[in-house]
Amino acid sequence: STDPLRLSTDPLNLSTDLSEGKEKLRLKQEVGLISGVSLIAGTMIGSGIFMSPEWVLHHMGNPASSLLIWAACGLLAMFGALSYAELGTIIKESGGEYIYILRIFGSFPAFLFAYTSVILVRPAGLAAVCLSFAEYAIAPFYPGCSSPQVAIKCTAAACILILTIINCLNVRLATSVMNIFTAAKLLALLVIVVGGLVLLAKGQTQSFQSGFQGTTAGIGAVGVAFYQGLWSYDGWNNLNYVTEELKKPEVTLPRALMIAIPLVTCLYLLVNVSYLAAMTPSELLSSGAVAVTWGDKVLGSWAWLISLSVALSTFGSSNGTFFSGGRVCYIAAREGHMPDILSMAHVRCLTPSPALLFTSAMSLIMIISGSFTSIVNFFSFMAWLFYGMTISGLLYLKIKKPELPRSYKVPIIIPIIVLMAAVYLVLAPIIDQPQVEILYIVLFIFSGVIFYFPLVRFKYHPRFLERVTLHLQLLLEVAPTTKDAN
């Protein structure tokens, strides 16, 4: 291996080694229960809880039913995660849904998943997180009114560019800031919860007295409210990306899930109650950045503290999203499902820069064209389409291949519930109020067929593509990663 251009790094672990450098070294020596819990909780609590409450309330129409939605989202995430836990003990490979779909349904669906995930789903997630960062970062400059869209979008774009630069240049930098951000988001949530309990003790319960009056009954509205709520819970499947590093996965995986997800659910419910104790539902709806409005009402001159910690928290979680998907790129490129350039790494920095640059370019396009809610609905629609597919794969394995060795068995009713929920979440908004965007998404997913058959199935590689790859390699200074020889 004297050839300097071939970097000896294991493509599977490269992206996570980079993203969680120090943590990963710890992870290698086995993730115990506590680290598992903090891994899930840390990735779940991102920007969602600071942005979604107003939209859930907006679609549901009143406080009581919106709290009900939050609880139901937590339950659904719990069931989904338990079903994934069994999948993780049957198929012990990294790569999340992609590997499960590949092993159960074969090459074509897995290609469609990788294709949409790399081009749409990941950039959409990143765009939504950066928009919430922007919303909070500039809220203090526009007290008492909502911030102008142009300012928000420019800030979000700047956020993406800075993140791209940080992640492409230096990984240690990215990891060292991670812990500060986790602390910041927990601090923000705790302040909000404690403040809310104090307000309730003082007797500010007027928001809860109306009960269930004015609840929306349309199936579409409930589906969209679920989208917004589930966006906050996104990340429940993250432990599946590290199944290999768990101590006794059959015990630790389900246990970590059963602790972390209810914990996050309770935290979210308390935070929502606290929001409603501090402001009337109509105030909550009109505020762009809920937590900042809450801070103005409760903390007075210390309100900037909330804004700061939320901005830090969202910035941190967007830093995480950048890397979690790097893995799928690698594995897909190794299976021949992605252009090779996306799976290469920078010669000196050892960061998967082409994939990062591509993701950020797509995110910028989404930020320019869409709003926070539309991007989240977009994201959730596609995510649940593939979650449903993965869960149906699990049901197929449970019924058709019960003899496969699995160390953890989930009761069959749980994946059935999740599958029904996924079908509902995908179909309800379409049936209730068909939007043109949904049609575009479906068309896009199936446009993958055009690429699949010539490029993947029949391995047709046109000359000019190879030339393009070569030029890009020289421009970006990247080289293919090979598995480590020893």
Side-chain angles (χ1 to χ4, degrees):
S1 64
T2 46
D3 178 5
L5 263 184
R6 282 226 168 254
L7 302 172
S8 310
T9 38
D10 172 4
L12 257 184
N13 289 332
L14 179 71
S15 55
T16 35
D17 278 340
L18 300 170
S19 66
E20 292 146 341
K22 296 179 187 124
E23 283 104 311
K24 191 66 183 183
L25 300 174
R26 269 213 313 279
L27 286 182
K28 272 283 181 294
Q29 304 158 351
E30 295 148 0
V31 175
L33 187 60
I34 297 182
S35 1
V37 170
S38 60
L39 192 85
I40 302 175
T43 42
M44 274 169 68
I45 305 172
S47 59
I49 184 62
F50 305 113
M51 286 293 275
S52 301
E54 53 172 318
W55 298 108
V56 178
L57 184 63
H58 169 77
H59 290 296
M60 287 312 293
N62 72 338
S65 56
S66 80
L67 287 177
L68 212 61
I69 288 279
W70 281 97
C73 286
L75 199 66
L76 189 55
M78 180 80 221
F79 284 175
L82 287 176
S83 314
Y84 266 50
E86 177 171 339
L87 266 174
T89 55
I90 302 176
I91 302 172
K92 294 188 176 69
E93 287 179 73
S94 301
E97 284 90 9
Y98 173 72
I99 282 286
Y100 301 150
I101 292 177
L102 182 70
R103 296 284 175 259
I104 301 170
F105 296 112
S107 178
F108 181 52
F111 169 75
L112 288 185
F113 170 75
Y115 173 73
T116 42
S117 151
V118 170
I119 296 184
L120 286 183
V121 181
R122 261 186 29 244
L126 185 66
V129 172
C130 287
L131 277 171
S132 32
F133 164 76
E135 187 87 65
Y136 275 96
I138 64 177
F141 300 108
Y142 297 95
C145 62
S146 55
S147 323
Q149 279 303 310
V150 182
I152 292 180
K153 288 188 175 180
C154 291
T155 317
C159 167
I160 288 186
L161 291 173
I162 294 171
L163 277 177
T164 314
I165 293 167
I166 291 180
N167 282 322
C168 283
L169 287 184
N170 184 346
V171 183
R172 284 289 164 285
L173 197 62
T175 19
S176 53
V177 287
M178 212 64 183
N179 304 341
I180 307 169
F181 290 152
T182 314
K185 70 188 154 202
L186 289 178
L187 183 80
L189 287 179
L190 282 175
V191 167
I192 292 178
V193 169
V194 172
L197 293 177
V198 170
L199 287 178
L200 285 180
K202 284 185 184 163
Q204 288 198 11
T205 52
Q206 68 280 9
S207 297
F208 306 103
Q209 276 146 17
S210 59
F212 284 94
Q213 285 163 13
T215 307
T216 16
I219 57 163
V222 177
V224 176
F226 257 109
Y227 276 174
Q228 294 290 336
L230 282 164
W231 161 251
S232 307
Y233 285 99
D234 194 68
W236 47 264
N237 53 354
N238 268 14
L239 210 51
N240 278 54
Y241 289 94
V242 293
T243 19
E244 298 160 25
E245 285 106 2
L246 290 174
K247 280 181 200 160
K248 297 208 293 271
E250 63 282 1
V251 187
T252 316
L253 191 58
R255 249 185 221 170
L257 295 170
M258 285 172 186
I259 299 172
I261 297 179
L263 192 82
V264 173
T265 310
C266 295
L267 203 61
Y268 279 5
L269 284 172
L270 286 171
V271 168
N272 269 298
V273 167
S274 168
Y275 285 155
L276 288 163
M279 43 191 143
T280 61
S282 54
E283 279 178 319
L284 191 94
L285 287 177
S286 63
S287 122
V290 200
V292 169
T293 316
W294 185 92
D296 289 336
K297 285 250 190 289
V298 182
L299 300 178
S301 57
W302 285 86
W304 57 269
L305 203 97
I306 293 278
S307 185
L308 179 75
S309 47
V310 174
L312 280 180
S313 149
T314 45
F315 195 76
S317 64
S318 55
N319 209 354
T321 18
F322 237 131
F323 267 108
S324 55
R327 222 162 194 184
V328 175
C329 254
Y330 278 97
I331 302 168
R334 225 184 36 198
E335 294 283 338
H337 284 173
M338 282 278 127
D340 299 329
I341 183 80
L342 281 183
S343 67
M344 295 181 183
H346 192 276
V347 185
R348 285 187 304 280
C349 303
L350 294 177
T351 48
S353 46
L356 294 179
L357 289 171
F358 182 72
T359 307
S360 53
M362 291 303 298
S363 303
L364 287 175
I365 295 174
M366 287 186 184
I367 282 186
I368 294 165
S369 58
S371 66
F372 177 76
T373 32
S374 64
I375 292 176
V376 168
N377 290 347
F378 226 60
F379 176 88
S380 304
F381 174 78
M382 288 183 287
W384 279 92
L385 202 63
F386 288 112
Y387 289 158
M389 201 160 145
T390 314
I391 299 287
S392 58
L394 173 68
L395 285 171
Y396 165 79
L397 287 182
K398 281 180 95 64
I399 296 162
K400 281 279 195 291
K401 306 211 169 134
E403 76 284 349
L404 278 177
R406 31 155 93 62
S407 38
Y408 168 74
K409 281 194 172 64
V410 68
I412 192 148
I413 183 74
I414 289 185
I416 292 177
I417 295 174
V418 179
L419 187 61
M420 280 157 54
V423 170
Y424 171 81
L425 284 173
V426 169
L427 293 181
I430 303 182
I431 296 168
D432 190 60
Q433 32 188 336
Q435 290 168 313
V436 191
E437 287 104 331
I438 303 278
L439 179 69
Y440 289 150
I441 296 179
V442 175
L443 281 178
F444 177 83
I445 293 178
F446 284 107
S447 70
V449 181
I450 309 167
F451 295 103
Y452 179 76
F453 285 101
L455 296 176
V456 181
R457 192 64 195 279
F458 301 118
K459 302 267 189 292
Y460 166 69
H461 292 299
R463 295 287 308 160
F464 84 92
L465 269 184
E466 291 173 12
R467 303 262 314 267
V468 168
T469 305
L470 198 66
H471 284 298
L472 279 174
Q473 258 189 279
L474 292 170
L475 175 72
L476 299 171
E477 298 189 327
V478 291
T481 50
T482 55
K483 276 205 141 170
D484 205 348
N486 51 19

